[in-house]
Amino acid sequence: MDDVKTPSSEERKSALSGLGTSRKRVEDARFTQGKGNYVDDIKLKGMLFGDFVRSPLAHARVKNIDTSAALALPGVHAVLTADDLRPLGLHWMPTLAGDKQMVLADGKVLFQGQEVAFVVGDDRYAVADGVSMVKVEYDELPVVTDPFKAELKDAPILREDIADQKEGAHGARRHPNHIFTWEAGEKEETNKVIDEAEVVADEMVYYHRTHPCPLETCGCVASMDKVNGKLTVWGTFQAPHAVRTVASLISNIPEHNIRIISPDIGGGFGNKVGVYPGYICSIVASIVTGVPIKWVEDRMDNLMATAFARDYWMRGKISATKDGKITGLWCHTTADHGAFDACADPTKFPAGFMNICTGSYDIPVAYLAVDGVYTNKAPGGVAYRCSFRVTEASYFIERMIEVLALKLGIDSAELRSKNFIKKEQFPYTSALGWEYDSGDYHRAWDKALEAVNYRQLREDQKKQLQLFKDGKSRKLMGIGLSHFTEIVGAGPVKNCDILGLGMFDACEIRIHPTGSAIARLGTISQGQGHATTFAQILASEIGIPASDITLEEGDTDTAPYGLGTYGSRSTPVAGAATAMAGRKIRAKAQMIAAYLLEVHDDDVEWDVDRFSVKGAPEKFKTMKEIAFASYNQAIPGVEPGLEAVSYYDPPNMTYPNGAYVVVMEIDVDTGVSDIKKVYALDDCGTRINPMIIEGQVHGGLTEALAISMGQEIAYDEQGNVMTGTLMDFFIPTAWETPTYETDYTVTPSPHHPIGAKGVGESPNVGGVSAFSNAVHDAFKPFGLTQAHMPHDHWRVWKIAKDLGLHN
Amino acid sequence: MIPSAFKFYKPDNISKAVSLMKDFGEEARVIAGGHSLIPIMKQRLTDIKHLIDLSGIDEIKGINITGDEISIGAMTTQVELINNEELFQKAPIIREASLQIADPQVRNLGTIGGNVANGDPANDMPGLMQLLDATYKLSGTNGSREVKARDFYEGAYFTSREDDEILLSISFESPSGGYAYEKQKRKIGDYATAAAGVIIKVENNKCSSASIALTNLSDTPVYCNKAVDMIVGKEIDNDLLDRVTKTCVDQSDPVADQRGPVEFKKYVAGIVIKKALKRAIERV
Ligand SMILES: Cc1cc2nc3c(=O)[nH]c(=O)nc-3n(C[C@H](O)[C@H](O)[C@H](O)COP(=O)(O)OP(=O)(O)OC[C@H]3O[C@@H](n4cnc5c(N)ncnc54)[C@H](O)[C@@H]3O)c2cc1C
C-alpha cells in the first residue's frame, strides 16, 4: 500500500473530466449508431395516426368542410374540425405572445398550409388517403403579404375575431392588422441628437423571413389513459414543463395528471418552443378515441406551417461626430408576424430583446420602436439559434456601423474600435436599458484583426480590385467584419416570464451510496450535449468523475420545473442551478467529512474530490467515502442521504460576445461567392468543454452561412410558399460548408457561479452579419450601401448589374 | 408525403413489361431509379395505379461498347456511367456531366433511362444526349422503333414516347474532339440554373465540327443548331465565340423560379456557354 503514490491534485482533477476538458460527447455513441429515441421511434399498442388537411390558400373563407368521403374510407376513424373542438373550447389556443391562434380553421384560413381538419386513422397511409378525401369549399379573399400594405386604410382585415379590439396584449392597436407598438429608449432626446449631428447614416435593413428547419420535424404522441385519467405526451418540446402547465390551463386536466416527455430531439433552433395545433389535435383525438395518437409533420408541413424566424424591416439612423464618435441610434422596425402573433418571447417582450440593438458600442442615446403587423403568412417569429430577436438586432447595428463608416469615409474596423464599450465601463448600462455584465471588446477585436492579418487582407483586396478594373478578372474580394454582443440566459424572474411562468431553471442531484450520481434539470438538450457538459460542471463542483454522473432531462414527472432550452439559457440558468445544487451537496459533504475525520466542520477543506484536514492533507475523506457514509452512518444532526435541489433565478442575463471575419471572392457575372476564410473569435466566459464549443460554433456558422447566402421562406403575391422543400430552401451540405477557424478570449460572467455565458447561438448572431458584410464590402468601391439578404446567386448578380458592372 | 395506393409489378423481361403497359394504359407507369417519379408520387401530383418496376429486366442494363459504337441500357445507373473506365475512354463527357447530377445517393439509384425518358427540362442527360446526337430505342405494343434524342422532346414532361412504350437503350458514337459540360447550380443536389455542353473539333484553329446543347434553359433541352452552323468552318477567335454564345442564348427560353428571374438566367447561360466553349477548345 505504502508504495502506491497518492495521485496529485492535478492528476485527480484531470480524472474528473470537469470544466475545461474536451470530453467526448456521451450522447454520440447512441446517435451515431441509430440508437437514439426520437418521437417517431415511439410506438405504443393500439396507436393511431393523425395528419392535417391544410389550406391551399393564403386567405379565404371556409364555406363548407365535407368529411363524409374521408370517413367512409376503411382505416379512417375520425376527422376533427373546428366544430368538434369548439365544445371543448379548443378550436383556438393561446399563443406564447398573448395572442390566440386557430387550432383548426374557424370560418376562415389566414395562411397557406393552415390546419383545417385533423384526420385520424390506422396508419399514415390510411390517414393520407383520408386527408385527400376531405372536401373543403373556400371563398377566396384578398391576400396581404407585404407588411407595409397591411396597415393601409383599405387593406383586407385578416383577424376578424379581434378587428374591433383597440387594445392588444401589448397595448394600443391602431389598425385591425396592427398587433402592437413596443418602444424603448428616449425618443425626443434621440431625435434631437440625430437632427443636430454632424454625420447621419440612414438605412433600411431587412432581415428576411427564414425558418429554423431542424433535421427532425415537429411531432408528438399523445396518450390519454382513461382508467387513471393521466395524459402522457411525448413530443418535440424545447420547454416540456411550460407545455405541461399550458396544457393543463387550456384543457382543465389537473397538472399532476399530465406528463410531458421530450425524448431525444433532433435539433430545435427555436422551432420547437411553441405549441402547435398538432399537439392539441393529437391530445383531443386521444381523448376521443381512447388510444394513443401520433402526429409527425413532414418537411413541407414544417417549412410551411410551423414557426418561421426573423422577417424584420429595420429602418435605422445612426449619428456621429465627423471623427467617428457615435452619438445616437434610432430604429423603427416593422415586424411581420404572419397570421397570429405566435412569437416565442418572454411575455413582456413582444419584440424580444431587440433593444440590444446598440450592440457592442457605447452609444449615449437611443430609441427603438417596433410595430408588429398581421399578414397572410404562417405565424411564428421564433428565436432561430439566437436569443429573442438578438440576431436581428445584431445584424441591424452591424449594418448601420458599415453604412456609417461609408458616410464617414473611414475603415469600419477602426470605427468599431473607436466606439466599443471599454473594458473598464463594465458593468455597462446601455441606452436602451440593459446591464452588460462583462467584456473586453478591444482585446478580442485586436486579436481577431491580427489573427486574420487584416491589413494584408485589405492590400490583397486592393490588388484584386485593380485586376477587376483592368479587365483581368471578373471577381471581387469582400472582407466582412462583425462584432456582436448577445443577451442570453433569460432570465431574471423580475422581468422575464412566459405566460406568467418565471424563467428560472432548476437542477436536482442525488448521490448514490457508491459515489456515482444522477442529476436532473428543467432544460432539454436538442443536440447541445447537456449530458456531457452539465456532468462536467458537476464533476468540478462535487469531485465525482463526469463519467459517473447520469444526466436526465425532459420528463416532467421526474425533472424539476424549468423553462427549457432556447435562447442560450441552459448554461446561464440551468448550468448555474447545477453548480449551486453541487455546492449544496458539497456543504453537506463537508459536515459528513468533518464528522468522519473527527474534526470541526471548519477544519476540513475541499481538495478536488475530497475533504482533507487543514494542515494534514494525508487525513481525508473522498466524495465516494462520504457518499457511502451518508447512507450507512447515523450522523448526529445530519439527515441521511446526499441530495440537493437548486432553483436558480439569475440576477442578470449574460452577454457573450465575439469578433468574426469572413473573406469571400465574388464572381460578378454568375453571382457565385467563394468563401475563402471564416474566422470566429468567441468570448463565452468560462469554457466548459472546448470541443463542444467548437462544434457549436461550426454548426451555428453553417446556419449563418445558409441564412445570409440563400435560405429564405419566400411567398408570392398570392401568399403561396415558394420555398416549401429542401430543393429551394437552402441547407448547406458539406460541399458548400467552408473551413472554419475558431478562436477565443475568456471574460467570465461576474454573476454566474462558474462564469459561463453560453455559446450555442453566438455563431449565428455574429456569423450572419459577417457573411452579409463581406458581400457588401466587395461592392463598396462601386457605391453599394445596402442590399438585402439572402445573398444568393441571382441577388448578388443583381447588385452587380445595378451597379453597372455587367457592361 | 405519402403516395396513393398502387399495385406493384416486377416483370423479368421487356415483353411482359410492355404487355402490362398495354393492359393498364394511362394508369400504368414504369419505375426505374424512382428519383424523379417517387417525389411526385409522394406529393400526389400524379395518381398511378399500376407501377411497373424495370429493375428485374437484365436485357436493358449495362454498357456495351463495340469499336466506336456505344450502347447503354436504359436501366444503367448514373454511378455506373461514372465508374465505367471504358466509357470514360470513349466518351469522357459522360462522366463529367454525370458527376454534376444530384448527389451520390441519387446517382446510386437514378438511371440514364429514367433521366432521359422523364422529359424534365431540368434533367442533365437529355441535353447531353442531344449533344452526342444519341438515338433512343423504344419498344411498345406496336414493336420497336428508334428516335433521335434531338427529336424526342416536345415540352416539359412531354416526349414523343407513346404511353405503352419503354425505353430500352441509348446509343451514340464515340465523340471526338474537345468537350466540356458546364453547370451552374445553387448547391450540391440542385438542378441547373443554367448548363451547357460543348463538343468541338478544331483543326488549324478552324472549327471542323461542333455540337452545343443546353439544359434547363427552355421547356425542353436546347440543341443550338444555329450556333453550330455559325461556328463550323470558321476561324476561332474571341469575337466569334461571343457571337456563338449570343446565338445560343437567343435560342434559350428559360422561366423564372427560385433560382432567379429570366434575365439572370439568360445572362448566366451566356457565361456557362462561353466557359464550356473555351474549355472544350482548350481540350482539343
Ligand atoms: C435531390 C435530387 C436532385 C436531383 N438532381 C438532378 C440533377 O441535377 N440533374 C439531373 O439530371 N437529375 C437530377 N435528379 C433526378 C435524378 O437524376 C433521377 O434519378 C432521374 O431524373 C430519373 O431517373 P430514375 O431512374 O430515378 O427514374 P424514375 O424516377 O424511376 O422515372 C422517371 C420517369 O421516367 C419514366 N421512365 C423511367 N425509365 C423508363 C424507361 N426505361 N422507359 C420509359 N419510361 C421510363 C418513369 O415512368 C418516370 O415517369 C435529381 C433527383 C433528386 C431526388
Side-chain angles (χ1 to χ4, degrees):
Chain A
M1 273 301 268
D2 283 348
D3 52 15
V4 178
K5 210 174 133 263
T6 313
S8 68
S9 299
E10 276 314 309
E11 285 165 331
R12 285 184 281 121
K13 204 167 169 182
S14 90
L16 295 178
S17 290
L19 289 183
T21 314
S22 282
R23 181 183 183 219
K24 279 199 179 165
R25 284 167 39 106
V26 296
E27 295 90 343
D28 290 347
R30 75 176 187 279
F31 291 153
T32 55
Q33 294 179 51
K35 298 274 166 60
N37 184 38
Y38 298 91
V39 165
D40 207 20
D41 294 318
I42 291 163
K43 297 184 174 84
L44 303 179
K45 206 166 152 241
M47 185 173 78
L48 299 178
F49 292 77
D51 201 0
F52 287 107
V53 175
R54 292 178 181 278
S55 171
L57 301 170
H59 196 195
R61 227 167 273 298
V62 177
K63 285 177 64 187
N64 187 44
I65 304 176
D66 180 357
T67 60
S68 56
L71 284 168
L73 287 176
V76 171
H77 293 240
V79 181
L80 302 180
T81 65
D83 287 340
D84 301 301
L85 301 182
R86 196 185 320 274
L88 303 165
L90 289 175
H91 54 316
W92 288 73
M93 62 180 182
T95 70
L96 298 180
D99 194 1
K100 54 182 181 153
Q101 174 177 351
M102 286 181 215
V103 174
L104 291 171
D106 183 20
K108 72 186 292 195
V109 287
L110 288 156
F111 65 93
Q112 187 182 52
Q114 188 178 331
E115 299 80 1
V116 175
F118 190 69
V119 177
V120 178
D122 281 337
D123 51 37
R124 292 183 206 281
Y125 298 89
V127 171
D129 287 342
V131 166
S132 72
M133 297 301 278
V134 174
K135 291 190 197 77
V136 187
E137 257 180 81
Y138 297 100
D139 245 357
E140 285 191 53
L141 293 168
V143 170
V144 185
T145 56
D146 179 343
F148 293 101
K149 293 193 178 144
E151 286 193 69
L152 295 181
K153 231 180 168 167
D154 54 352
I157 295 175
L158 308 190
R159 292 288 301 281
E160 287 156 323
D161 58 301
I162 51 166
D164 301 329
Q165 282 180 27
K166 300 272 179 265
E167 274 296 305
H170 309 287
R173 298 171 67 225
R174 61 182 181 217
H175 184 285
N177 295 334
H178 179 240
I179 311 171
F180 63 83
T181 302
W182 188 71
E183 292 176 283
E186 303 294 332
K187 186 175 184 177
E188 248 86 280
E189 182 66 24
T190 306
N191 283 339
K192 188 161 171 279
V193 165
I194 287 174
D195 286 346
E196 293 167 4
E198 291 174 356
V199 182
V200 179
D202 181 339
E203 200 53 68
M204 172 66 95
V205 178
Y206 178 45
Y207 197 143
H208 60 291
R209 180 176 277 237
T210 181
H211 194 284
C213 193
L215 193 55
E216 177 205 29
T217 58
C218 299
C220 72
V221 176
S223 178
M224 182 75 200
D225 184 331
K226 290 210 166 160
V227 177
N228 61 21
K230 183 142 186 166
L231 171 70
T232 306
V233 188
W234 290 260
T236 45
F237 306 128
Q238 288 183 237
H241 284 95
V243 168
R244 185 185 73 193
T245 304
V246 173
S248 172
L249 290 172
I250 66 177
S251 70
N252 290 323
I253 300 171
E255 196 164 356
H256 72 280
N257 268 346
I258 301 178
R259 179 180 181 192
I260 302 292
I261 302 173
S262 297
D264 283 330
I265 296 184
F269 312 112
N271 184 238
K272 294 167 180 170
V273 174
V275 172
Y276 295 118
Y279 306 153
I280 309 278
C281 289
S282 304
I283 292 170
V284 172
S286 179
I287 294 171
V288 171
T289 59
V291 294
I293 305 290
K294 179 186 278 186
W295 164 74
V296 177
E297 296 176 314
D298 67 28
R299 180 64 57 196
M300 292 175 76
D301 298 335
N302 179 256
L303 286 173
M304 196 163 49
T306 46
F308 77 93
R310 326 291 194 232
D311 217 347
Y312 260 32
W313 292 89
M314 301 171 285
R315 170 85 196 284
K317 289 181 217 168
I318 188 166
S319 61
T321 59
K322 267 185 288 194
D323 59 353
K325 187 81 194 88
I326 300 172
T327 54
L329 179 72
W330 177 95
C331 176
H332 179 268
T333 295
T334 301
D336 184 341
H337 284 235
F340 306 97
D341 188 9
C343 270
D345 291 320
T347 299
K348 294 189 198 88
F349 295 87
F353 303 154
M354 179 63 194
N355 55 340
I356 191 76
C357 66
T358 51
S360 307
Y361 311 101
D362 183 12
I363 303 182
V365 62
Y367 170 70
L368 164 73
V370 181
D371 277 299
V373 298
Y374 292 122
T375 61
N376 289 118
K377 298 181 190 168
V382 294
Y384 171 6
R385 205 173 185 144
C386 68
S387 189
F388 317 99
R389 301 293 186 183
V390 170
T391 180
E392 288 91 327
S394 180
Y395 184 62
F396 168 73
I397 184 66
E398 288 305 291
R399 285 301 311 140
M400 292 312 291
I401 289 285
E402 291 292 328
V403 290
L404 178 61
L406 277 177
K407 263 260 152 100
L408 290 163
I410 67 173
D411 188 300
S412 68
E414 192 191 319
L415 179 62
R416 285 184 175 84
S417 204
K418 207 168 199 146
N419 288 283
F420 281 141
I421 299 160
K422 294 188 191 73
K423 187 181 169 192
E424 55 278 11
Q425 286 176 280
F426 290 94
Y428 170 85
T429 305
S430 75
L432 294 175
W434 294 114
E435 188 188 297
Y436 291 34
D437 61 350
S438 66
D440 191 347
Y441 300 165
H442 284 102
R443 178 166 63 122
W445 195 240
D446 294 344
K447 189 174 181 187
L449 296 187
E450 199 182 308
V452 300
N453 200 347
Y454 182 63
R455 263 196 215 149
Q456 186 58 46
L457 285 176
R458 287 288 177 206
E459 286 305 312
D460 296 347
Q461 186 184 33
K462 267 190 211 143
K463 278 186 207 139
Q464 183 58 36
L465 182 61
Q466 200 51 51
L467 288 175
F468 182 85
K469 286 184 170 163
D470 294 345
K472 293 189 179 122
S473 168
R474 293 296 287 162
K475 291 185 175 155
L476 294 170
M477 180 175 155
I479 303 165
L481 305 176
S482 90
H483 191 283
F484 63 92
T485 297
E486 287 186 276
I487 168 167
V488 308
V493 172
K494 63 177 187 284
N495 52 12
C496 289
D497 67 273
I498 288 186
L499 299 178
L501 304 167
M503 295 181 75
F504 58 82
D505 225 290
C507 174
E508 181 196 286
I509 306 168
R510 294 183 196 169
I511 313 290
H512 307 313
T514 52
S516 63
I518 182 165
R520 295 191 172 101
L521 291 91
T523 44
I524 175 70
S525 186
Q526 308 126 37
Q528 292 89 340
H530 290 176
T532 309
T533 50
F534 288 136
Q536 290 181 255
I537 296 177
L538 265 185
S540 290
E541 292 291 340
I542 62 174
I544 290 175
S547 55
D548 289 352
I549 303 170
T550 298
L551 243 290
E552 242 184 49
E553 302 174 300
D555 183 341
T556 57
D557 264 10
T558 56
Y561 206 99
L563 266 279
T565 295
Y566 41 86
S568 277
R569 66 185 300 283
S570 298
T571 295
V573 192
T578 304
M580 299 310 272
R583 287 172 196 181
K584 288 186 187 174
I585 296 274
R586 217 161 81 185
K588 182 168 177 183
Q590 182 168 4
M591 293 193 269
I592 298 170
Y595 171 82
L596 296 174
L597 291 164
E598 297 180 16
V599 294
H600 192 269
D601 288 358
D602 292 340
D603 292 334
V604 294
E605 62 187 355
W606 178 248
D607 174 23
V608 182
D609 57 355
R610 62 194 59 189
F611 279 101
S612 52
V613 176
K614 280 182 187 163
E618 70 287 354
K619 288 190 185 153
F620 61 81
K621 289 289 167 192
T622 64
M623 273 306 279
K624 230 180 150 95
E625 294 167 312
I626 295 167
F628 199 69
S630 78
Y631 282 87
N632 79 347
Q633 302 236 3
I635 305 172
V638 179
E639 285 179 7
L642 195 50
E643 300 189 6
V645 54
S646 171
Y647 280 75
Y648 188 80
D649 177 10
N652 189 4
M653 315 272 189
T654 62
Y655 297 76
N657 50 81
Y660 288 11
V661 183
V662 166
V663 180
M664 63 171 84
E665 215 170 65
I666 292 174
D667 185 319
V668 299
D669 287 324
T670 58
V672 174
S673 42
D674 185 8
I675 310 232
K676 298 290 187 194
K677 184 188 257 318
V678 182
Y679 168 88
L681 178 151
D682 277 287
D683 193 329
C684 59
T686 302
R687 290 156 54 86
I688 299 167
N689 181 324
M691 183 195 70
I692 286 194
I693 291 175
E694 204 181 359
Q696 290 289 314
V697 173
H698 286 193
L701 283 170
T702 305
E703 283 178 331
L705 167 82
I707 294 167
S708 47
M709 304 309 287
Q711 188 176 87
E712 65 176 320
I713 295 289
Y715 287 84
D716 70 7
E717 286 190 352
Q718 284 75 48
N720 295 306
V721 181
M722 305 304 286
T723 49
T725 75
L726 297 187
M727 183 58 81
D728 288 314
F729 184 86
F730 177 43
I731 301 274
T733 69
W735 192 266
E736 287 81 35
T737 304
T739 302
Y740 301 123
E741 296 165 44
T742 57
D743 204 345
Y744 62 96
T745 53
V746 177
T747 316
S749 168
H751 62 77
H752 186 280
I754 63 164
K757 291 186 168 188
V759 76
E761 301 176 329
S762 303
N764 200 326
V765 174
V768 170
S769 316
F771 285 111
S772 179
N773 281 345
V775 173
H776 285 90
D777 186 66
F779 292 102
K780 198 163 69 182
F782 304 96
L784 178 71
T785 48
Q786 177 64 23
H788 298 321
M789 295 189 291
H791 305 300
D792 53 359
H793 296 171
W794 87 262
R795 286 181 176 96
V796 170
W797 173 87
K798 182 84 167 43
I799 297 174
K801 178 182 160 14
D802 292 346
L803 293 173
L805 302 182
H806 289 162
N807 308 320
Chain B
M1 295 274 257
I2 289 186
S4 52
F6 54 82
K7 286 218 170 73
F8 184 77
Y9 309 83
K10 194 170 174 182
D12 57 9
N13 67 50
I14 279 294
S15 59
K16 282 186 197 160
V18 169
S19 89
L20 284 166
M21 293 284 268
K22 181 172 173 259
D23 291 350
F24 301 121
E26 281 196 341
E27 294 193 333
R29 200 69 95 76
V30 296
I31 182 164
H35 270 292
S36 288
L37 188 57
I38 292 175
I40 62 166
M41 289 173 68
K42 282 182 161 185
Q43 291 181 56
R44 298 198 177 209
L45 296 173
T46 175
D47 186 16
I48 294 161
K49 299 265 186 290
H50 303 275
L51 197 62
I52 303 160
D53 182 4
L54 299 181
S55 69
I57 307 175
D58 290 337
E59 56 196 291
I60 55 171
K61 288 181 188 166
I63 300 165
N64 243 307
I65 302 178
T66 347
D68 277 345
E69 291 301 320
I70 299 167
S71 172
I72 303 175
M75 285 301 287
T76 308
T77 58
Q78 292 154 13
V79 69
E80 289 173 273
L81 300 179
I82 292 167
N83 291 342
N84 190 299
E85 267 316 309
E86 212 187 341
L87 182 63
F88 178 64
Q89 296 305 327
K90 292 283 180 181
I93 193 167
I94 302 271
R95 180 183 290 178
E96 177 163 310
S98 301
L99 279 169
Q100 297 181 63
I101 292 178
D103 53 49
Q105 279 170 303
V106 171
R107 300 195 297 253
N108 283 341
L109 280 173
T111 64
I112 185 170
N115 198 301
V116 302
N118 193 27
D120 182 346
N123 278 356
D124 289 288
M125 292 281 172
L128 187 64
M129 292 306 139
Q130 293 200 340
L131 182 74
L132 290 162
D133 196 15
T135 304
Y136 298 165
K137 193 167 174 200
L138 301 157
S139 175
T141 342
N142 296 329
S144 300
R145 63 177 180 123
E146 291 189 344
V147 191
K148 296 299 271 182
R150 290 179 190 170
D151 300 326
F152 187 69
Y153 299 95
E154 296 172 348
Y157 301 99
F158 284 98
T159 66
S160 69
R161 186 180 67 83
E162 298 295 333
D163 277 347
D164 68 348
E165 282 183 321
I166 291 173
L167 175 70
L168 303 181
S169 64
I170 294 139
S171 55
F172 52 89
E173 247 178 54
S174 160
S176 55
Y179 67 92
Y181 192 79
E182 279 284 340
K183 174 173 174 178
Q184 180 167 333
K185 54 186 174 181
R186 295 169 298 181
K187 61 170 179 187
I188 287 296
D190 192 18
Y191 293 94
T193 301
V198 172
I199 295 175
I200 194 162
K201 267 201 248 180
V202 182
E203 284 154 54
N204 305 321
N205 201 37
K206 225 183 213 171
C207 170
S208 55
S209 77
S211 179
I212 308 171
L214 314 178
T215 291
N216 216 9
L217 286 165
S218 185
D219 65 343
T220 62
V222 180
Y223 178 67
C224 301
N225 55 329
K226 288 182 199 148
V228 168
D229 290 347
M230 184 182 256
I231 194 170
V232 173
K234 302 276 166 51
E235 193 93 21
I236 304 276
D237 60 26
N238 196 46
D239 183 52
L240 176 70
L241 295 186
D242 279 343
R243 278 183 294 126
V244 168
T245 300
K246 183 169 181 313
T247 307
C248 293
V249 173
D250 287 344
Q251 236 182 307
S252 75
D253 184 18
V255 290
D257 57 20
Q258 286 308 115
R259 294 178 186 85
V262 169
E263 194 192 1
F264 164 68
K265 289 193 173 181
K266 286 207 163 196
Y267 191 97
V268 170
I271 302 293
V272 297
I273 294 162
K274 181 88 183 279
K275 268 191 202 163
L277 281 166
K278 280 176 133 173
R279 209 151 55 81
I281 291 166
E282 273 166 26
R283 273 173 166 170
V284 166

